[in-house]
Amino acid sequence: MRDSLNERGFALWPDALGPAEVETLASRPAVNDSTEDDAGDRDLLREPWCGELAAALRERLSGAGLLAADAVAVQCTLFRKSAGRNWKVTLHQDLSIPVAARVDDARLSAWSRKQGGAFVQPPPELLERLLAVRLHLDDCGAGDGPLRVVPGSHRHGRLDADAAAALRAAQGETACTARRGDLLIMRPLLLHASSKATRPEGRRRVLHFLYGPREPGYALHWSLAI
């Protein structure tokens, strides 16, 4: 997994969580949206159960040599794709991070607010130190709108739209299908996209954790760190 993460920018950890643990997570009210009235939540890390899960995953990732021992979880986003809430995502990199407050530094750009919190795009040097961990709460096959990634693209720094498209054309895409309980581990600078689900009866719920260094630098502070 470590070699795949370094070289390709992503790795799959099969069966990282057992069926009973996944079922408990999937049945939590914040996750189990029976009315299908929204597509997710980017602020789940403030939930005690989610913080405990983030800490447990950090220990396992660190023990496997995939994450620095002093790393912290800084965000957990729930993505919930279903027949009622179906969407596609164009090719992109994850460039924004959640921080406590705005800082006056020319190296920081694209300040925004989401769900009341501050977000910013830091230099690539910080983005390269981040790790995204996607816990699948449902099976995600080819018809469920899985992530499609461009292997190795995380090594090219921040890319504009033309460069991203050219890299995809040259290197192709890989569909990251997964089973319930699998972890998809990836670098945020990895180019990725997803299509709408084509299997109407399907459902795809993913807990997307973001880990980073305890001190992000640039006079920034995380909005939450666990």
Side-chain angles (χ1 to χ4, degrees):
M1 286 189 292
R2 184 166 48 198
D3 289 344
S4 179
L5 183 62
N6 290 337
E7 294 300 317
R8 301 198 298 165
F10 68 101
L12 185 69
W13 187 332
D15 301 316
L17 271 70
E21 189 172 4
V22 174
E23 182 59 35
T24 297
L25 293 170
S27 64
R28 290 192 174 275
V31 175
N32 186 31
D33 176 37
S34 59
T35 62
E36 306 289 355
D37 62 352
D38 68 81
D41 186 342
R42 69 179 71 250
D43 203 24
L44 275 187
L45 196 58
R46 299 187 185 279
E47 298 262 355
W49 64 267
C50 191
E52 292 172 4
L53 175 59
L57 290 176
R58 180 187 62 214
E59 294 303 314
R60 296 190 63 185
L61 292 161
S62 176
L66 300 171
L67 189 64
D70 62 346
V72 292
V74 300
Q75 188 180 24
C76 179
T77 302
L78 168 66
F79 294 113
R80 186 165 38 214
K81 186 178 287 188
S82 66
R85 288 289 176 176
N86 200 359
W87 71 92
K88 67 177 181 179
V89 179
T90 58
L91 190 68
H92 71 288
Q93 298 167 299
D94 290 339
L95 302 176
S96 294
I97 59 173
V99 295
R102 183 164 184 147
V103 171
D104 187 13
D105 189 315
R107 296 170 294 180
L108 305 173
S109 63
W111 287 94
S112 63
R113 296 195 70 82
K114 303 171 185 178
Q115 285 190 225
F119 285 76
V120 67
Q121 292 186 10
E125 290 76 17
L126 176 54
L127 295 171
E128 290 168 357
R129 300 173 65 192
L130 306 182
L131 187 69
V133 179
R134 295 169 61 89
L135 170 59
H136 284 264
L137 301 180
D138 302 288
D139 291 345
C140 184
D144 298 307
L147 281 190
R148 306 189 317 274
V149 304
V150 179
S153 55
H154 67 299
R155 293 178 291 166
H156 293 262
R158 190 180 304 194
L159 298 165
D160 62 26
D162 289 341
L167 195 58
R168 177 169 61 179
Q171 298 187 196
E173 292 181 322
T174 297
C176 296
T177 57
R179 302 287 293 179
R180 194 179 205 204
D182 291 354
L183 293 180
L184 176 61
I185 305 162
M186 58 185 281
R187 295 297 182 189
L189 283 175
L190 184 75
L191 286 169
H192 57 285
S194 70
S195 301
K196 286 186 176 183
T198 58
R199 194 167 62 93
E201 72 279 11
R203 194 179 198 193
R204 192 204 73 179
R205 291 169 296 172
V206 174
L207 291 175
H208 181 114
F209 292 90
L210 182 63
Y211 293 87
R214 185 170 296 276
E215 298 296 336
Y218 309 100
L220 292 169
H221 299 282
W222 301 114
S223 57
L224 181 62
I226 294 176

